[in-house]
Amino acid sequence: MRELVFFISMAAIHVSVAHARTADSLAYPVNEYNGISYEVRLVRDSAGVPEYYHAHIFTPVCDDDICKPVYIELYWDLLGSYIRYTVPPDQPFTKMDHEEFQPEEYVKLQEILADSNSLLKDYKMEELVESATKTSPGEVDAVTGATAKSLQAVVIPGALYTCYTLWHIAHGRVVDTIAKITDGLVNPPLLLHFLKSRNHRYQYFALDKVIDHQGNVEADYRQEVINLIRSPNVFLGTQVLKQLSPTYFFDEEWQNWLWETFQDGSYRLKLGVLDKLEQLPLTEAFRSRLATHKGNFNEVIAQRIEHLLNRQL
């Protein structure tokens, strides 16, 4: 019963996606490392904004010369990062001896596929299996198909081949294919969508497109880019602050904004703001604030502030 509920749930997810979104008519071929071929499609939301990629995949999974068919739907984000999978209700996954996956093993498979740094990436299939060795004529010391001990934590017992094959599809050549497709879709609405998203990889991608080598940003993106300085991702915020041209912060309004950012920001962001201030002609109002509040901070920041106040402009 638990297994049936799982498949019904997965099928319901698939149906709801099909009704809420539409796939592009264009199909992009992918030829994987092991001869598996399939087509990946871009899926857009109801407003026509690109949302993710999807592929229906059939592949045989071979275990000791016995090949079992695997039907799976795979999903990637717009930069080729694996998101999730679904399984057709009438095509459950099986392990050795045709034993069907249990619900917790489907959950485990999602964890395996979601790990882009899995140990599976560093091995060829033949290296994952201990070869049979004979200790004396007619005797076998090891069983062909026994999973290497170091990899037992990253595969499902009895489903090594399935885990290996699907991981290498999810993180295979499709990643480069998707990256090329998305790069060809870049336009102002998509870049703004990326900048406003909570996906840091999308934000870094967009920043590379909208900030030039002098730290200048086109007017259409400027506010969204500056807003990222206050991102919950402090590494992203400090990078944006470092990249932006100092000229954006010359006037009093933006120096007031920097002061608020400095006060409310993390320690790392405070240091980033101080680095940026070294490049600015400070307004009298800003200098006054620094002088008044420098005693509220630790010795390192207080010394940095003192240096700013004493420097020759």
Side-chain angles (χ1 to χ4, degrees), residues 40 53 76-80 174-183:
V40 65
Y53 290 87
W76 297 267
D77 72 12
L78 295 175
L79 296 181
V174 67
V175 176
D176 290 336
T177 299
I178 288 174
K180 290 176 182 177
I181 299 169
T182 297
D183 206 48

Side-chain angles (χ1 to χ4, degrees), residues 188-200:
L190 185 62
L191 290 174
L192 284 172
H193 171 65
F194 276 17
L195 290 170
K196 293 176 182 179
S197 78
R198 294 184 178 275
N199 185 321
H200 298 145

Side-chain angles (χ1 to χ4, degrees), residues 25-67:
S25 58
L26 291 177
Y28 305 90
V30 180
N31 299 307
E32 285 296 354
Y33 70 101
N34 56 1
I36 296 171
S37 297
Y38 58 92
E39 295 178 334
V40 65
R41 294 179 183 271
L42 173 67
V43 179
R44 300 175 184 268
D45 66 15
S46 58
V49 177
E51 190 166 16
Y52 59 83
Y53 290 87
H54 163 261
H56 173 74
I57 296 171
F58 162 75
T59 180
V61 175
C62 298
D63 182 0
D64 293 339
D65 298 323
I66 300 174
C67 291

Side-chain angles (χ1 to χ4, degrees), residues 268-279:
R268 186 183 185 94
L269 186 56
K270 282 181 169 61
L271 295 178
V273 172
L274 290 171
D275 288 340
K276 182 59 68 176
L277 294 178
E278 294 280 359
Q279 306 170 30

Side-chain angles (χ1 to χ4, degrees), residues 83-273:
I83 302 173
R84 63 185 176 92
Y85 75 93
T86 59
V87 178
D90 58 344
Q91 297 289 342
F93 284 179
T94 58
K95 299 178 288 185
M96 294 177 66
D97 300 324
H98 304 289
E99 180 184 354
E100 292 188 1
F101 270 41
Q102 296 299 306
E104 59 272 16
E105 290 171 324
Y106 284 102
V107 174
K108 177 65 175 177
L109 180 60
Q110 170 62 14
E111 295 173 358
I112 292 168
L113 297 183
D115 182 8
S116 60
N117 292 314
S118 172
L119 291 174
L120 294 173
K121 72 177 181 179
D122 297 321
Y123 289 84
K124 295 180 180 178
M125 175 58 76
E126 55 268 26
E127 294 175 315
L128 301 184
V129 180
E130 296 173 355
S131 47
T133 58
K134 295 183 178 180
T135 56
S136 60
E139 293 183 1
V140 177
D141 183 53
V143 179
T144 302
T147 306
K149 292 181 180 180
S150 62
L151 291 155
Q152 288 177 356
V154 297
V155 297
I156 295 168
L160 165 64
Y161 291 85
T162 298
C163 295
Y164 182 88
T165 300
L166 294 181
W167 189 93
H168 279 273
I169 293 174
H171 300 277
R173 293 176 180 169
V174 67
V175 176
D176 290 336
T177 299
I178 288 174
K180 290 176 182 177
I181 299 169
T182 297
D183 206 48
L185 297 171
V186 168
N187 59 19
L190 185 62
L191 290 174
L192 284 172
H193 171 65
F194 276 17
L195 290 170
K196 293 176 182 179
S197 78
R198 294 184 178 275
N199 185 321
H200 298 145
R201 294 183 70 247
Y202 285 3
Q203 292 168 324
Y204 282 119
F205 176 91
L207 289 170
D208 284 342
K209 301 289 186 182
V210 303
I211 303 180
D212 68 19
H213 295 301
Q214 287 74 44
N216 299 308
V217 184
E218 291 182 31
D220 290 346
Y221 310 111
R222 192 170 301 156
Q223 188 61 57
E224 292 302 329
V225 169
I226 291 176
N227 287 345
L228 290 179
I229 294 171
R230 295 179 175 177
S231 166
N233 180 348
V234 67
F235 298 102
L236 176 67
T238 52
Q239 176 179 314
V240 172
L241 186 59
K242 182 177 180 179
Q243 281 186 264
L244 283 177
S245 169
T247 58
Y248 291 124
F249 304 102
F250 278 3
D251 66 44
E252 186 168 358
E253 179 185 356
W254 280 110
Q255 290 196 13
N256 290 339
W257 188 90
L258 273 183
W259 173 250
E260 293 171 1
T261 303
F262 176 78
Q263 285 189 304
D264 298 335
S266 67
Y267 186 72
R268 186 183 185 94
L269 186 56
K270 282 181 169 61
L271 295 178
V273 172

